Amino acid sequence: MGMNPFKLTAGKMPPILIGRQDIADDFVEALDNGAGAPGRLMLITGQRGCGKTVMLSELRRIAIERGWVVISETASRGMCERLVGALAPRGIRLADASINPSIGIAGVANASLGSLSFSTPEQGALTLRAAIGDRLKKLPKGKGIVFAIDEAQAASTADMIALATTFQHVLSDQDMTGLPDSEQRGVALVFAGLPSLVDDLLENEVLTFLRRSQRQIVGDVPLPDARDAYVQAVRDAGKSIDVLVATAAARAAGGHPYLLQLVGYYMWRASDRRGSSAIEACDVEDGAADAMMAFYDAVCAPLYYGLRSPQRLFVEAMAKDDPEPSRMSDITQRARRTASWTSKYRASLIRERVIEPAGYGIVRLSVPYLGAYMRDEILWKATR
């Protein structure tokens, strides 16, 4: 029997990139179609556990496979300084680092470009633009650098302004070479983050350029795709699974990418513990129960506690109905609030992809089993 193919390490590629091939295809086309291709500026959004980081890993793999340099970062303060360090030649030791005021350009307003001082005098202070330009000169024609930024909502405004401004400058620099689009050395920026916080970041007027990014929302996986992925992954890894059993596993996962991995991992483990070369219905049942507890801890709890108090009150009022949708009038009554209050927080929760419209005056929770989590872990404990 083979090893469990449904690994749970954050950001590790699943055996099959379920239901995400269109995003990968768009990125391949962008790299191959030369300067100006829209997919070279891409924003991947979705709720926690939906597979943003996994998708980012796949795009990095694609870029490396096609001969591009990949610079990866998790957004936090000082991001641009670290990008300059990653672009600098090896063996150069970084000294003092700072973000210094730079030029203003038409339509973008004053911006800052990341800069670093290096210990070797000949290097001096390199701006992010200069560091990218220097690295691009060393690459073959038609290739370039992909910047893959995860957790974009955690980036400082200054860093995002620096990155956006630099991106524009570098594109302009390459246009000035006179080379055809297919031969220009390019840059691509792919960043991933939570929907509402990324939206808030892009509200900044100096980040107009990033608002033109190609947005890819990573959502639920259709049941047929999930079922087929289970069948293929299990069989490729050396076990067998009946199509009906795979369908039951896909239903248990509810279409959520992370839960698909969890159910797969635990049903495989249950089969191993029986010493079986096949995954049976009993393995799916046992595996789904274990997967649910892990999903509560990894996805539902951070999502619930990350909401504001009024938003938590709103979704708690929906928990009684889940997995069925809730009427707005029932939410208003259960929350003991006004219709205008309900309307306000409905809009904010839809924006954050926590709930979704399900008809006139009706909404449903977007994350599978979030209602069950609240009933099991929050509301039940509150009544003890």
Short mmCIF file of all heavy atoms in Angstrom, two decimals, residues 44-96:
data_model
loop_
_atom_site.label_atom_id
_atom_site.label_comp_id
_atom_site.label_asym_id
_atom_site.label_seq_id
_atom_site.Cartn_x
_atom_site.Cartn_y
_atom_site.Cartn_z
N ILE A 44 -5.56 36.57 -6.11
CA ILE A 44 -6.30 35.37 -5.74
C ILE A 44 -6.93 35.60 -4.38
O ILE A 44 -6.23 35.89 -3.40
CB ILE A 44 -5.37 34.14 -5.68
CG1 ILE A 44 -4.69 33.92 -7.03
CG2 ILE A 44 -6.14 32.90 -5.25
CD1 ILE A 44 -3.58 32.89 -6.99
N THR A 45 -8.26 35.53 -4.30
CA THR A 45 -8.94 35.76 -3.04
C THR A 45 -9.86 34.59 -2.70
O THR A 45 -10.26 33.81 -3.57
CB THR A 45 -9.78 37.05 -3.07
OG1 THR A 45 -10.85 36.91 -4.01
CG2 THR A 45 -8.94 38.25 -3.42
N GLY A 46 -10.21 34.50 -1.46
CA GLY A 46 -11.11 33.47 -0.97
C GLY A 46 -10.99 33.37 0.54
O GLY A 46 -10.04 33.90 1.13
N GLN A 47 -11.92 32.68 1.15
CA GLN A 47 -11.91 32.55 2.60
C GLN A 47 -10.80 31.63 3.06
O GLN A 47 -10.16 30.93 2.27
CB GLN A 47 -13.26 32.04 3.10
CG GLN A 47 -14.29 33.13 3.35
CD GLN A 47 -13.84 34.13 4.42
OE1 GLN A 47 -12.91 33.88 5.18
NE2 GLN A 47 -14.51 35.26 4.47
N ARG A 48 -10.57 31.61 4.37
CA ARG A 48 -9.54 30.75 4.95
C ARG A 48 -9.81 29.29 4.57
O ARG A 48 -10.93 28.81 4.64
CB ARG A 48 -9.52 30.88 6.47
CG ARG A 48 -9.04 32.23 6.97
CD ARG A 48 -9.09 32.29 8.49
NE ARG A 48 -8.65 33.58 9.00
CZ ARG A 48 -9.43 34.64 9.14
NH1 ARG A 48 -10.71 34.54 8.81
NH2 ARG A 48 -8.97 35.78 9.60
N GLY A 49 -8.72 28.60 4.22
CA GLY A 49 -8.83 27.19 3.92
C GLY A 49 -9.33 26.87 2.53
O GLY A 49 -9.51 25.70 2.20
N CYS A 50 -9.56 27.89 1.69
CA CYS A 50 -10.13 27.61 0.37
C CYS A 50 -9.06 27.24 -0.65
O CYS A 50 -9.39 26.86 -1.78
CB CYS A 50 -10.94 28.81 -0.12
SG CYS A 50 -9.92 30.22 -0.55
N GLY A 51 -7.80 27.34 -0.30
CA GLY A 51 -6.74 26.91 -1.21
C GLY A 51 -5.96 28.02 -1.88
O GLY A 51 -5.30 27.78 -2.90
N LYS A 52 -5.96 29.24 -1.32
CA LYS A 52 -5.21 30.34 -1.93
C LYS A 52 -3.71 30.05 -1.94
O LYS A 52 -3.04 30.24 -2.96
CB LYS A 52 -5.47 31.64 -1.16
CG LYS A 52 -6.92 32.09 -1.13
CD LYS A 52 -7.08 33.41 -0.42
CE LYS A 52 -6.65 33.40 1.03
NZ LYS A 52 -7.46 32.48 1.86
N THR A 53 -3.19 29.62 -0.81
CA THR A 53 -1.75 29.37 -0.71
C THR A 53 -1.34 28.20 -1.60
O THR A 53 -0.28 28.23 -2.23
CB THR A 53 -1.35 29.10 0.75
OG1 THR A 53 -1.67 30.25 1.55
CG2 THR A 53 0.13 28.82 0.88
N VAL A 54 -2.18 27.19 -1.67
CA VAL A 54 -1.91 26.06 -2.56
C VAL A 54 -1.88 26.52 -4.01
O VAL A 54 -1.02 26.12 -4.80
CB VAL A 54 -2.96 24.96 -2.34
CG1 VAL A 54 -2.85 23.88 -3.42
CG2 VAL A 54 -2.80 24.32 -0.97
N MET A 55 -2.84 27.38 -4.38
CA MET A 55 -2.87 27.89 -5.74
C MET A 55 -1.63 28.71 -6.04
O MET A 55 -1.05 28.62 -7.13
CB MET A 55 -4.13 28.75 -5.92
CG MET A 55 -4.45 29.12 -7.36
SD MET A 55 -4.98 27.69 -8.33
CE MET A 55 -3.69 27.61 -9.56
N LEU A 56 -1.20 29.51 -5.08
CA LEU A 56 0.01 30.30 -5.25
C LEU A 56 1.22 29.39 -5.46
O LEU A 56 2.10 29.68 -6.28
CB LEU A 56 0.21 31.19 -4.02
CG LEU A 56 0.98 32.50 -4.19
CD1 LEU A 56 0.30 33.40 -5.22
CD2 LEU A 56 1.08 33.22 -2.86
N SER A 57 1.27 28.28 -4.73
CA SER A 57 2.35 27.32 -4.89
C SER A 57 2.36 26.73 -6.30
O SER A 57 3.42 26.53 -6.89
CB SER A 57 2.22 26.19 -3.86
OG SER A 57 2.35 26.67 -2.55
N GLU A 58 1.17 26.45 -6.82
CA GLU A 58 1.08 25.90 -8.17
C GLU A 58 1.56 26.91 -9.21
O GLU A 58 2.26 26.56 -10.16
CB GLU A 58 -0.35 25.48 -8.46
CG GLU A 58 -0.63 25.06 -9.90
CD GLU A 58 0.10 23.80 -10.33
OE1 GLU A 58 0.86 23.21 -9.52
OE2 GLU A 58 -0.08 23.40 -11.50
N LEU A 59 1.22 28.18 -9.03
CA LEU A 59 1.66 29.21 -9.98
C LEU A 59 3.17 29.40 -9.91
O LEU A 59 3.83 29.63 -10.94
CB LEU A 59 0.93 30.53 -9.72
CG LEU A 59 -0.60 30.48 -9.85
CD1 LEU A 59 -1.18 31.89 -9.76
CD2 LEU A 59 -1.03 29.82 -11.15
N ARG A 60 3.73 29.27 -8.72
CA ARG A 60 5.19 29.34 -8.60
C ARG A 60 5.84 28.19 -9.36
O ARG A 60 6.84 28.36 -10.05
CB ARG A 60 5.62 29.30 -7.12
CG ARG A 60 5.24 30.53 -6.32
CD ARG A 60 6.10 30.67 -5.08
NE ARG A 60 6.09 29.48 -4.25
CZ ARG A 60 5.30 29.30 -3.20
NH1 ARG A 60 4.42 30.24 -2.88
NH2 ARG A 60 5.36 28.21 -2.48
N ARG A 61 5.27 27.00 -9.21
CA ARG A 61 5.81 25.83 -9.90
C ARG A 61 5.76 26.02 -11.42
O ARG A 61 6.73 25.71 -12.14
CB ARG A 61 5.01 24.58 -9.52
CG ARG A 61 5.56 23.29 -10.09
CD ARG A 61 4.53 22.17 -10.03
NE ARG A 61 3.36 22.43 -10.85
CZ ARG A 61 3.33 22.30 -12.18
NH1 ARG A 61 4.42 21.94 -12.84
NH2 ARG A 61 2.22 22.55 -12.84
N ILE A 62 4.65 26.56 -11.90
CA ILE A 62 4.50 26.80 -13.34
C ILE A 62 5.57 27.78 -13.82
O ILE A 62 6.20 27.57 -14.88
CB ILE A 62 3.09 27.35 -13.64
CG1 ILE A 62 2.04 26.25 -13.47
CG2 ILE A 62 3.01 27.95 -15.05
CD1 ILE A 62 0.61 26.76 -13.52
N ALA A 63 5.78 28.85 -13.07
CA ALA A 63 6.76 29.86 -13.47
C ALA A 63 8.17 29.28 -13.53
O ALA A 63 8.92 29.52 -14.49
CB ALA A 63 6.71 31.04 -12.51
N ILE A 64 8.55 28.53 -12.51
CA ILE A 64 9.88 27.92 -12.48
C ILE A 64 10.05 26.95 -13.65
O ILE A 64 11.10 26.92 -14.31
CB ILE A 64 10.11 27.20 -11.14
CG1 ILE A 64 10.18 28.22 -10.01
CG2 ILE A 64 11.39 26.35 -11.18
CD1 ILE A 64 10.17 27.61 -8.62
N GLU A 65 9.02 26.18 -13.92
CA GLU A 65 9.05 25.22 -15.02
C GLU A 65 9.27 25.91 -16.36
O GLU A 65 9.87 25.36 -17.28
CB GLU A 65 7.73 24.45 -15.04
CG GLU A 65 7.71 23.23 -15.93
CD GLU A 65 6.39 22.48 -15.81
OE1 GLU A 65 5.36 23.00 -16.30
OE2 GLU A 65 6.37 21.39 -15.20
N ARG A 66 8.81 27.16 -16.48
CA ARG A 66 8.93 27.90 -17.73
C ARG A 66 10.15 28.81 -17.76
O ARG A 66 10.28 29.67 -18.64
CB ARG A 66 7.64 28.71 -17.98
CG ARG A 66 6.41 27.84 -18.03
CD ARG A 66 5.17 28.59 -18.37
NE ARG A 66 4.70 28.32 -19.71
CZ ARG A 66 4.22 27.15 -20.12
NH1 ARG A 66 4.16 26.14 -19.29
NH2 ARG A 66 3.82 26.98 -21.36
N GLY A 67 11.03 28.64 -16.78
CA GLY A 67 12.30 29.36 -16.81
C GLY A 67 12.28 30.74 -16.20
O GLY A 67 13.23 31.52 -16.41
N TRP A 68 11.24 31.06 -15.44
CA TRP A 68 11.18 32.35 -14.78
C TRP A 68 11.78 32.26 -13.38
O TRP A 68 11.76 31.20 -12.74
CB TRP A 68 9.72 32.82 -14.67
CG TRP A 68 9.15 33.34 -15.96
CD1 TRP A 68 9.06 32.67 -17.14
CD2 TRP A 68 8.58 34.63 -16.18
NE1 TRP A 68 8.48 33.46 -18.10
CE2 TRP A 68 8.17 34.67 -17.54
CE3 TRP A 68 8.38 35.74 -15.39
CZ2 TRP A 68 7.58 35.79 -18.11
CZ3 TRP A 68 7.76 36.87 -15.94
CH2 TRP A 68 7.38 36.89 -17.29
N VAL A 69 12.30 33.38 -12.91
CA VAL A 69 12.76 33.48 -11.52
C VAL A 69 11.55 33.77 -10.64
O VAL A 69 10.69 34.58 -11.01
CB VAL A 69 13.79 34.62 -11.37
CG1 VAL A 69 14.12 34.87 -9.90
CG2 VAL A 69 15.05 34.29 -12.16
N VAL A 70 11.45 33.11 -9.50
CA VAL A 70 10.32 33.31 -8.60
C VAL A 70 10.84 33.85 -7.27
O VAL A 70 11.74 33.27 -6.66
CB VAL A 70 9.54 32.01 -8.37
CG1 VAL A 70 8.45 32.21 -7.32
CG2 VAL A 70 8.91 31.52 -9.68
N ILE A 71 10.26 34.95 -6.83
CA ILE A 71 10.56 35.54 -5.53
C ILE A 71 9.28 35.45 -4.70
O ILE A 71 8.26 36.06 -5.06
CB ILE A 71 11.00 37.01 -5.64
CG1 ILE A 71 12.18 37.15 -6.62
CG2 ILE A 71 11.36 37.56 -4.26
CD1 ILE A 71 13.45 36.49 -6.17
N SER A 72 9.31 34.71 -3.62
CA SER A 72 8.13 34.50 -2.78
C SER A 72 8.25 35.24 -1.47
O SER A 72 9.33 35.28 -0.87
CB SER A 72 7.93 33.00 -2.50
OG SER A 72 7.77 32.29 -3.70
N GLU A 73 7.15 35.80 -1.02
CA GLU A 73 7.11 36.50 0.27
C GLU A 73 5.74 36.33 0.91
O GLU A 73 4.73 36.24 0.21
CB GLU A 73 7.39 38.00 0.11
CG GLU A 73 8.81 38.41 0.44
CD GLU A 73 9.19 38.21 1.90
OE1 GLU A 73 8.29 38.11 2.75
OE2 GLU A 73 10.38 38.12 2.19
N THR A 74 5.72 36.30 2.23
CA THR A 74 4.49 36.44 2.98
C THR A 74 4.44 37.88 3.48
O THR A 74 5.38 38.34 4.14
CB THR A 74 4.44 35.46 4.16
OG1 THR A 74 4.47 34.13 3.65
CG2 THR A 74 3.15 35.66 4.97
N ALA A 75 3.39 38.58 3.14
CA ALA A 75 3.33 40.02 3.40
C ALA A 75 3.40 40.33 4.89
O ALA A 75 2.72 39.71 5.70
CB ALA A 75 2.07 40.61 2.80
N SER A 76 4.24 41.28 5.21
CA SER A 76 4.33 41.87 6.54
C SER A 76 5.19 43.12 6.38
O SER A 76 5.78 43.35 5.32
CB SER A 76 4.94 40.90 7.56
OG SER A 76 6.24 40.54 7.20
N ARG A 77 5.28 43.92 7.44
CA ARG A 77 6.05 45.16 7.33
C ARG A 77 7.49 44.87 6.94
O ARG A 77 8.11 43.93 7.44
CB ARG A 77 5.99 45.91 8.67
CG ARG A 77 6.58 47.32 8.58
CD ARG A 77 6.22 48.12 9.83
NE ARG A 77 4.78 48.32 9.94
CZ ARG A 77 4.10 49.25 9.29
NH1 ARG A 77 4.72 50.09 8.48
NH2 ARG A 77 2.80 49.38 9.47
N GLY A 78 8.03 45.67 6.04
CA GLY A 78 9.39 45.46 5.56
C GLY A 78 9.47 44.52 4.36
O GLY A 78 10.56 44.10 3.98
N MET A 79 8.32 44.22 3.76
CA MET A 79 8.29 43.27 2.65
C MET A 79 9.20 43.70 1.50
O MET A 79 9.96 42.88 0.97
CB MET A 79 6.86 43.10 2.15
CG MET A 79 6.71 42.19 0.95
SD MET A 79 4.99 42.07 0.39
CE MET A 79 4.71 43.75 -0.23
N CYS A 80 9.13 44.97 1.11
CA CYS A 80 9.92 45.41 -0.03
C CYS A 80 11.42 45.34 0.24
O CYS A 80 12.22 45.05 -0.65
CB CYS A 80 9.52 46.83 -0.45
SG CYS A 80 7.97 46.86 -1.38
N GLU A 81 11.81 45.59 1.48
CA GLU A 81 13.22 45.46 1.83
C GLU A 81 13.69 44.03 1.64
O GLU A 81 14.79 43.76 1.13
CB GLU A 81 13.43 45.92 3.27
CG GLU A 81 13.09 47.39 3.49
CD GLU A 81 12.81 47.71 4.95
OE1 GLU A 81 13.03 46.82 5.80
OE2 GLU A 81 12.38 48.83 5.22
N ARG A 82 12.83 43.08 2.04
CA ARG A 82 13.20 41.67 1.89
C ARG A 82 13.22 41.27 0.42
O ARG A 82 14.03 40.43 0.01
CB ARG A 82 12.22 40.79 2.68
CG ARG A 82 12.28 41.03 4.18
CD ARG A 82 11.54 39.95 4.94
NE ARG A 82 10.12 39.87 4.62
CZ ARG A 82 9.17 40.64 5.18
NH1 ARG A 82 9.50 41.55 6.09
NH2 ARG A 82 7.90 40.49 4.83
N LEU A 83 12.37 41.86 -0.40
CA LEU A 83 12.37 41.57 -1.82
C LEU A 83 13.67 42.03 -2.46
O LEU A 83 14.25 41.32 -3.30
CB LEU A 83 11.18 42.24 -2.52
CG LEU A 83 9.79 41.70 -2.17
CD1 LEU A 83 8.71 42.51 -2.89
CD2 LEU A 83 9.65 40.22 -2.53
N VAL A 84 14.14 43.21 -2.08
CA VAL A 84 15.41 43.69 -2.60
C VAL A 84 16.54 42.74 -2.19
O VAL A 84 17.40 42.39 -2.99
CB VAL A 84 15.71 45.12 -2.10
CG1 VAL A 84 17.11 45.56 -2.53
CG2 VAL A 84 14.69 46.10 -2.65
N GLY A 85 16.49 42.28 -0.94
CA GLY A 85 17.50 41.34 -0.47
C GLY A 85 17.47 40.04 -1.27
O GLY A 85 18.51 39.47 -1.59
N ALA A 86 16.27 39.57 -1.62
CA ALA A 86 16.14 38.32 -2.39
C ALA A 86 16.63 38.49 -3.82
O ALA A 86 17.11 37.54 -4.45
CB ALA A 86 14.69 37.86 -2.39
N LEU A 87 16.52 39.71 -4.35
CA LEU A 87 16.95 39.97 -5.72
C LEU A 87 18.44 40.22 -5.83
O LEU A 87 19.03 40.06 -6.90
CB LEU A 87 16.21 41.20 -6.27
CG LEU A 87 14.74 41.01 -6.60
CD1 LEU A 87 14.05 42.37 -6.70
CD2 LEU A 87 14.58 40.25 -7.90
N ALA A 88 19.08 40.63 -4.72
CA ALA A 88 20.49 41.01 -4.74
C ALA A 88 21.37 39.80 -5.01
O ALA A 88 21.00 38.67 -4.69
CB ALA A 88 20.88 41.66 -3.42
N PRO A 89 22.54 40.01 -5.56
CA PRO A 89 23.46 38.89 -5.80
C PRO A 89 23.80 38.16 -4.52
O PRO A 89 23.88 38.76 -3.45
CB PRO A 89 24.71 39.58 -6.38
CG PRO A 89 24.22 40.89 -6.92
CD PRO A 89 23.09 41.29 -6.03
N ARG A 90 24.02 36.86 -4.63
CA ARG A 90 24.35 36.07 -3.47
C ARG A 90 25.71 36.48 -2.90
O ARG A 90 26.61 36.89 -3.61
CB ARG A 90 24.40 34.58 -3.84
CG ARG A 90 23.04 34.01 -4.18
CD ARG A 90 23.13 32.53 -4.45
NE ARG A 90 21.82 31.97 -4.74
CZ ARG A 90 21.62 30.69 -5.01
NH1 ARG A 90 22.62 29.84 -5.02
NH2 ARG A 90 20.40 30.26 -5.27
N GLY A 91 25.81 36.34 -1.60
CA GLY A 91 27.07 36.64 -0.93
C GLY A 91 27.18 38.06 -0.43
O GLY A 91 28.12 38.42 0.26
N ILE A 92 26.22 38.93 -0.80
CA ILE A 92 26.24 40.31 -0.32
C ILE A 92 25.48 40.38 0.99
O ILE A 92 24.34 39.99 1.08
CB ILE A 92 25.62 41.26 -1.36
CG1 ILE A 92 26.52 41.31 -2.60
CG2 ILE A 92 25.43 42.65 -0.79
CD1 ILE A 92 26.03 42.22 -3.68
N ARG A 93 26.13 40.89 2.01
CA ARG A 93 25.52 40.96 3.33
C ARG A 93 24.76 42.26 3.46
O ARG A 93 25.27 43.34 3.13
CB ARG A 93 26.60 40.86 4.41
CG ARG A 93 26.04 40.83 5.82
CD ARG A 93 27.15 40.47 6.79
NE ARG A 93 28.25 41.42 6.72
CZ ARG A 93 28.28 42.58 7.39
NH1 ARG A 93 27.26 42.91 8.15
NH2 ARG A 93 29.31 43.39 7.29
N LEU A 94 23.52 42.18 3.95
CA LEU A 94 22.70 43.38 4.10
C LEU A 94 23.12 44.15 5.33
O LEU A 94 23.40 43.58 6.38
CB LEU A 94 21.23 42.98 4.23
CG LEU A 94 20.65 42.17 3.07
CD1 LEU A 94 19.19 41.92 3.32
CD2 LEU A 94 20.88 42.86 1.75
N ALA A 95 23.12 45.45 5.19
CA ALA A 95 23.39 46.32 6.34
C ALA A 95 22.10 47.00 6.73
O ALA A 95 21.06 46.37 6.84
CB ALA A 95 24.49 47.32 5.99
N ASP A 96 22.13 48.33 6.93
CA ASP A 96 20.93 49.04 7.35
C ASP A 96 19.88 49.01 6.24
O ASP A 96 20.19 49.15 5.06
CB ASP A 96 21.26 50.50 7.68
CG ASP A 96 22.20 50.59 8.87
OD1 ASP A 96 22.16 49.66 9.70
OD2 ASP A 96 22.96 51.56 8.93
#
